[in-house]
Amino acid sequence: MKARVFVTLKSGVLDPQGKAIGHALDNLGFRAVGEVRQGKIIDIELAEPNREKAAAAVKSMCEKLLANTVIEKYEIELK
Amino acid sequence: MKSAVIVFPASNCDRDAHDAILHVTGTKPHMVWHGDSEVPDVDLIVLPGGFSYGDYLRCGAMAAHSHIMGDVRRKAEQGVAVLGICNGFQTLTEAHLLPGALMRNAGLKFVCREVELVVDESQSAFTRKYSRGERLRFPVAHGEGNFFASDDVLDRLEGEGRVAFRYGEGDNPNGSARNIAGILNEKRNVLGLMPHPERACDPLLGSVSGRAMFQSLLESLS
Amino acid sequence: MTAITPETIRAHGLSAEEFVRIRQLLGRDPNLVELGIFSVMWSEHCSYKSTRAHLRRLPVTGPQVIQGPGENAGVVDIGDGDAVVFKMESHNHPSFIEPYQGAATGVGGIMRDVFTMGARPVAMMNALRFGAPDHPKTRHLVAGVVAGIGGYGNCMGVPTVGGEVNFHPSNNGNILVNAMCVGLARRDRIFKSAAEGAGNPVVYVGSKTGRDGIHGATMASAEFNADSEEKRPTVQVGDPFTEKLLLEACLELMATDAIIAIQDMGAAGLTSSSAEMAGKGGAGIDLDLDRVPQRESGMSAYEMLLSESQERMLIVLKPGREAGAEVIFRKWELDFAVIGMTTDSGRMVVRHKGELVADIPVHALADEAPVYRRPFTARPPASGEIVPAGTADIESVLLQMLGCPDLCSRRWIWQQYDYSVMTDTVQRPGGDAAVLRVNGANKAIAITTDVTPRYCRADPFEGAKQAVAEAWRNLTAVGARPLAVTDNLNFGNPERPETMGEIIRAIDGIAEACRALSFPVVSGNCSLYNETNGEPILPTPAIGGVGLIDDLAQMATIAFKRTGDVLILIGATHGHLGQSLYLREIEHREEGAAPPVDLMVEKRNGDFVRELIRSGRTDTVHDISDGGLLIAVAEMAMAGGMGAELTPGKDATIPILFGEDQARYVVAVAASKAEAVLADATSAGIPALVLGRAGGGALVVQDVLSIPVERLRAAHESWFPAFMSDETRTLLPARDIV
C-alpha cells in the first residue's frame, strides 16, 4: 500500500512563501492568479495490506511527526 | 551548577553553549548524545542551536522525537531547568514543552544580525539578574524564528508573565507575533528563545548581554 | 561493451592525440569504463593540463609553509603547534546552471578539502562575480547563489565571514562562484592523501552513490554553448546535514591513529580519489564496485566510477582498524564499506559483478596526463593618460559611487550568512579582512579574498600583482602578518592564444608579487573555459590571503572611534584614474592603464602600518582600494557612525579624491601621537600626509561638501535591497519548493 500525505498550513496561518509564489506568478504575467498556498507532499510505502489499518497508521504518523498541528493540517490519500 | 548540553545530529552551537557555560559559570557541562536514554543528574539541560536533522521536514521536528527527549521531558516535569536556544527553542515547541510554533521568517530569508532585546520578565531562574524593561543586544541567526500561537495562547503567555524577551519595537527580525523572542513554560523552568545568549558573553564578539542569563542560572541552581 | 568511436572519444572531451596516447599507455584499446576514467583524470579540471607547466613558476615555500600545493589544501604554521589549513575553489559552471545547488555543493566540496586534512573548518569566504545588474538572469543567480552558500554553510555551523561581489557584463553568461574555506588543526595531526603500502583496506564512507553529476569534471572543462541546458542533470544536489555528520565522524576517526590516507570524493568521485591516492602513495589499488553503497539500483560500473554524488570520502586504513572505524561512522549514521585494498601492482584494477571492468597503470592516470604549452599572444597592456571629462560635482560623485553595485553595502548578502556561529568571529563582514580568534587562544587569523578583474583585463601582469598586493594590504590593515595565499584562477578558453597569454601573464604577476611579499601560494584551483559564444570573462585570478594576529589586543578596524583623532594618509597619491571605478561608474569608460604596483613600496608602507598597530599607536586603519581616498574615508565614517573633516585644500580634485593609486592606507591616531607618527614615516621615507580629523556627524571636505553620515549610509545601503526586492520568484531555495 502507498500513502500520500499532503501537509499545508491551516487557513488563517500566514503563508509568506505562498504569497511570494503568488507575487512571482503575477510577475510572470499570470493575471488570473488569486491566493496561493504552498505545502508538502510526503509519499510513504507501507507494508500494510489492510486499508483501515494503513489509514490509522498514517494518521498517527501525521499527528506525531509529519505535521505540526499547531500550524498545519494534513490530508491522506491511500493507493 | 551541574549542566548538560544535548548533541543532536547537526547541532552546531553545542560547543558554543559548552564554552559559554564554562567561561561564565566556571562549571563544565556534560555533552550528551541524542541517542542516549538518560541525561545525567543535572540542574540545567541545554538544547543548543543548529540544524538538527538538517532542519528537514520541520525545524526541530525530528529532534523532538529523538531518544534522549523522553528523559528531557521527564526531568523538565520534575523541575530541572531546560534552556532551548534557536533550534533548541524550535525543538521544545515541537516536543510541546512550550506552546506555539516557529515558522519561516516573514522576510523568507535566513537572518543573521544583532537585535535589540527587551527583558519582559525577570522572575525566572534564567532572567533574575536582568531587570524588567532592560534593553540588551543579542545576535540572532535563523531562518525560522517567526513565533506563532493563537491569540488565546498569546494572551495567556502575556497574562501569566511568561514572555521572557521581546524584540525591540521596530527591530523584529522575523515577524514574530507580538515581537516575542523567548517564552517560559507554566512552571517557569523551561525557557526557549531564538536569540543566542551564548554568542553574547565575550566583549571581543561585540556584546556581553548573554552573561547575565548564565549568571542567573548559576545563582538559581547552585 | 560499447565500441569506442571517434564520436565517443569527442563526447568524452578527449582529443584524437590524447586517445592515441591512452592506447600506447594501455598497450591496447580502452574499454568504455576506462575511457571514462581517462577522460575525467585528463580533463582540465583534474589534470591542469593547460596551466601546470606555468604554475610551477609560483613560489610555494617558506619557513611558515607546512604543506604547499598538491594536497587537498595548503597548511601553514601559526605557532604553538597550531596550523591553518585553507584552499579556494571554483564552482562556476554548476552555479550558473542551478545557482542554489551549484553554490551549495561548491561550499560543501571546499569544506571537505579542508577537513580531509584533519582541520576543523572555522571560516568560509566567497568571491562572487555576476553579470550586469540589468541582465535578466542576474537577480535569479544572485538570489540562488547567496541562498545556496547560506543554506550549506549555515547548516554546517561554519561562519561565512566575507568575500567579494562584483557585477560586470562579461559575466552575463559565466558567473564566478569561488569559495574559500579556512580550518584549524594541530600541526602534528595533518592528514594526507598518499596511500602508501600494500594490503591496506580501502574504505568508503559518507553518502550512498547515485547517478549525480556524472561527468561534472568534464563539463567544468568545456566551453558553454546553447547545448549546455541539456547537461542540466549533471548538477549534483548537496546535503549539508550529511556533510556535518561526515565532518564530525572524520574528526573523531582522526583523533585515533587508524588512518593512512584520506581524500574526499569531489570532481570525478571514486575515480579521481582512488587514482590520486594510489598515485601519490606509489601503490596500486583494487576496487570491488559491488561493495560500494548505492542509492539507485542497476548502476553500471561507468556510472559508479564517474558519479559525483556529494558528501563521500575514501579512506585507507591501517589493517585491522576497520571495525573501530566502522563503529564511529555507524554512530553518525553514515555508510561505511570496505571496497578494496591497496596493492603493489601499480595498477588500478576495478571489478564489478565478478568481471574485470578496468585495469590501468596508476601512473598513466596520475603522472602521464598531458601537459600543454599552448600557444599564446600577449596583448599590450592598456595605456593612455586619463583626464576626467568635466568638473563633476564631488558630492554627487561620492554619493553615486557609494551606492553603485560594486561599492554599495553587501549587508543584504551577509545577513543571510551565519557569521557569528562558533563564537570566534572578532571582525565580521564589512571590514578589510575578517578576523577569527583561534579558539581558546588570544591570537587570531585574518582572511581576505581579492582581485580587481578590470585591472587584470587592462594588464594581466599588473592586475595579478595588484590582487596579491591588495590581499596582503587587507591583512596588514587589521594588524595581521600575511602568511600565505590560495589562488583561484578564472579565465576563458586557454585554446585561444590571447586568453592563454592572459593566464601566463597573470601567473607571472602572482609569482612576482608573492615572492616580493614573502607570501607563498600553498593551494589553488584553475577554472578555465569561462566563456560563452566566444565572449570570455575578464581575467579573474582571485587571491585568498591568510594572516596571523599574534595578540588580539593589537588589532585595527576600519571604524572611526574617537573624536579628534588625526587622519593620516600613508602612501603616495598621484591621482591614477585609469581603470578606476570613478571612470566606469561616473564617466562610463573602462579605459587607461591599470594602476601600477610597486612591490617594494607596498611592502615598506604595509610594514610601517602594521608596526603602528602592533605598537598600539593606532587601532583604526583602512586600506584604499576601489573608489579611492574619499570612498575609504566615507566607509570609515559609516562603520564608526562618526564623521570627519578633511582639509585637502587645492587637492580636492577628482583624481586625488577618487584615483586608485596603490599601497595606501588611511590611519587614525590620537592627536598626541600624530606628530611622532609623521616623523617616523618621514624618517622611513614613507609619504604621510595629514588629511584632517575624525568627529562630528558629517563627512566634511572643507569648502567642497558636508554630508551627514546618515545620508552616506542611506546611499550606501539602499542599492542592494532595492535591486533584490523583486526577486520573489527566485528566493525560494529549491528544497523549500515542495
Side-chain angles (χ1 to χ4, degrees), chain C residues 204-488:
Chain C
Y204 170 118
V205 298
S207 288
K208 291 182 177 17
T209 295
R211 292 186 173 97
D212 312 75
I214 290 170
H215 267 203
T218 316
M219 176 173 85
S221 310
E223 191 182 320
F224 265 19
N225 57 47
D227 297 340
S228 298
E229 291 289 316
E230 283 178 24
K231 292 189 177 174
R232 190 180 288 267
T234 63
V235 172
Q236 321 89 322
V237 172
D239 177 3
F241 171 56
T242 298
E243 175 122 324
K244 169 70 174 163
L245 305 185
L246 188 60
L247 161 68
E248 299 299 337
C250 285
L251 292 182
E252 200 171 315
L253 179 63
M254 285 163 168
T256 71
D257 63 348
I259 297 175
I260 292 174
I262 177 165
Q263 164 118 350
D264 89 291
M265 291 190 230
L270 194 50
T271 292
S272 72
S273 55
S274 53
E276 284 174 17
M277 286 173 90
K280 283 178 188 160
I285 192 162
D286 280 7
L287 297 178
D288 180 356
L289 296 180
D290 297 322
R291 299 203 211 161
V292 170
Q294 294 161 46
R295 198 180 69 215
E296 300 172 47
S297 56
M299 290 183 69
S300 68
Y302 182 95
E303 288 170 326
M304 268 190 272
L305 282 165
L306 301 188
S307 161
E308 294 194 352
S309 291
Q310 300 287 293
E311 293 93 23
R312 302 178 300 163
M313 291 270 193
L314 204 60
I315 305 175
V316 176
L317 291 174
K318 291 179 184 166
R321 305 301 291 268
E322 299 91 320
E326 179 163 5
V327 167
I328 293 172
F329 285 88
R330 296 288 176 213
K331 171 189 156 191
W332 290 97
E333 296 174 29
L334 295 164
D335 271 295
F336 178 101
V338 178
I339 63 163
M341 194 73 89
T342 58
T343 66
D344 56 8
S345 69
R347 303 184 75 84
M348 177 175 172
V349 178
V350 186
R351 288 185 179 79
H352 184 224
K353 297 191 194 286
E355 278 181 34
L356 185 70
V357 293
D359 183 359
I360 306 172
V362 169
H363 75 94
L365 297 171
D367 308 325
E368 300 291 335
V371 173
Y372 293 124
R373 288 192 168 270
R374 298 194 187 278
F376 65 95
T377 55
R379 195 163 25 83
S383 61
E385 200 175 330
I386 298 295
V387 179
T391 50
D393 169 44
I394 289 173
E395 177 169 328
S396 65
V397 169
L398 173 61
L399 290 172
Q400 204 178 324
M401 286 182 62
L402 280 179
C404 80
D406 272 5
L407 275 184
C408 70
S409 167
R410 273 79 178 100
R411 187 183 304 273
W412 184 91
I413 294 179
W414 54 256
Q415 279 195 344
Q416 297 183 57
Y417 301 152
D418 189 343
Y419 55 79
S420 59
V421 66
M422 293 186 93
T423 56
D424 283 313
T425 307
V426 178
Q427 285 200 41
R428 59 185 65 171
D432 279 328
V435 175
L436 279 300
R437 173 173 54 192
V438 175
N439 191 267
N442 190 40
K443 62 185 176 184
I445 49 175
I447 312 167
T448 182
T449 70
D450 294 285
V451 63
T452 311
R454 59 181 192 278
Y455 295 171
C456 298
R457 175 68 183 159
D459 185 340
F461 181 73
E462 284 298 317
K465 274 168 64 186
Q466 194 275 342
V468 175
E470 190 177 341
W472 189 88
R473 204 184 303 144
N474 277 326
L475 299 174
T476 296
V478 298
R481 195 153 38 86
L483 291 174
V485 306
T486 178
D487 60 354
N488 199 152

Side-chain angles (χ1 to χ4, degrees), chain C residues 409-572:
Chain C
S409 167
R410 273 79 178 100
R411 187 183 304 273
W412 184 91
I413 294 179
W414 54 256
Q415 279 195 344
Q416 297 183 57
Y417 301 152
D418 189 343
Y419 55 79
S420 59
V421 66
M422 293 186 93
T423 56
D424 283 313
T425 307
V426 178
Q427 285 200 41
R428 59 185 65 171
D432 279 328
V435 175
L436 279 300
R437 173 173 54 192
V438 175
N439 191 267
N442 190 40
K443 62 185 176 184
I445 49 175
I447 312 167
T448 182
T449 70
D450 294 285
V451 63
T452 311
R454 59 181 192 278
Y455 295 171
C456 298
R457 175 68 183 159
D459 185 340
F461 181 73
E462 284 298 317
K465 274 168 64 186
Q466 194 275 342
V468 175
E470 190 177 341
W472 189 88
R473 204 184 303 144
N474 277 326
L475 299 174
T476 296
V478 298
R481 195 153 38 86
L483 291 174
V485 306
T486 178
D487 60 354
N488 199 152
L489 307 178
N490 307 275
F491 291 88
N493 181 350
E495 293 161 47
R496 286 173 208 283
E498 187 172 284
T499 299
M500 198 60 222
E502 289 176 345
I503 296 170
I504 290 171
R505 292 298 285 158
I507 290 172
D508 286 340
I510 293 170
E512 182 162 306
C514 287
R515 203 166 278 122
L517 298 171
S518 307
F519 202 26
V521 179
V522 296
S523 59
N525 166 244
C526 291
S527 171
L528 307 182
Y529 297 93
N530 291 289
E531 66 182 72
T532 300
N533 300 329
E535 290 290 320
I537 58 162
L538 301 182
T540 309
I543 300 295
V546 172
L548 178 68
I549 296 175
D550 296 308
D551 177 359
L552 272 167
Q554 266 86 51
M555 179 184 80
T557 71
I558 71 167
F560 287 148
K561 297 172 187 67
R562 284 163 303 268
T563 296
D565 271 7
V566 175
L567 309 185
I568 298 174
L569 169 63
I570 303 291

Side-chain angles (χ1 to χ4, degrees), chain A residues 13-14 16-17 20 40 42 64-68 70-72, chain B residues 57-58 61-62 65 94 96 100-101 103-106 108 148:
Chain A
V13 175
L14 179 70
Q17 284 187 80
K40 304 181 179 86
I42 302 163
K64 278 195 176 141
L65 178 68
L66 300 181
N68 178 352
V70 175
I71 49 172
E72 292 171 328
Chain B
L57 189 62
R58 286 182 317 280
M62 290 184 262
H65 292 89
E94 284 284 347
H96 303 299
M103 299 181 54
R104 190 117 191 243
N105 292 350
L108 296 179
F148 173 90

Side-chain angles (χ1 to χ4, degrees), chain B residues 7-16 19 33-34 50-56 104 107-114 139-141 144 196 198-200 202 204-206, chain C residues 120 151 154-157 238-241 244-245 248 331-333 412 414-426 428 437 439 552 555 727 731-733 735-736:
Chain B
V7 182
F8 298 103
S11 286
N12 64 29
C13 306
D14 44 334
R15 273 179 208 82
D16 300 354
D19 291 357
W33 184 240
H34 69 102
F51 286 68
S52 58
Y53 295 91
D55 273 1
Y56 298 149
R104 190 117 191 243
L108 296 179
K109 292 188 191 66
F110 189 94
V111 58
C112 179
R113 64 177 175 91
E114 275 194 359
V140 293
E144 317 215 356
H196 286 275
E198 81 283 14
R199 298 188 192 181
D202 185 338
L204 249 175
L205 306 180
Chain C
R120 178 174 286 282
N154 296 347
C155 181
M156 288 296 290
D239 177 3
F241 171 56
K244 169 70 174 163
L245 305 185
E248 299 299 337
K331 171 189 156 191
W332 290 97
E333 296 174 29
W412 184 91
W414 54 256
Q415 279 195 344
Q416 297 183 57
Y417 301 152
D418 189 343
Y419 55 79
S420 59
V421 66
M422 293 186 93
T423 56
D424 283 313
T425 307
V426 178
R428 59 185 65 171
R437 173 173 54 192
N439 191 267
L552 272 167
M555 179 184 80
E727 40 97 32
L731 54 64
L732 307 168
R735 77 158 205 259
D736 285 317

Side-chain angles (χ1 to χ4, degrees), chain C residues 124-169:
Chain C
M124 286 293 308
M125 276 212 171
N126 303 281
L128 311 177
R129 321 276 161 191
F130 296 103
D134 58 5
H135 187 271
K137 275 196 165 168
T138 299
R139 250 191 216 99
H140 162 76
L141 292 168
V142 172
V145 166
V146 170
I149 289 170
Y152 209 103
N154 296 347
C155 181
M156 288 296 290
V158 177
T160 300
V161 293
E164 298 178 279
V165 182
N166 288 158
F167 296 90
H168 193 276

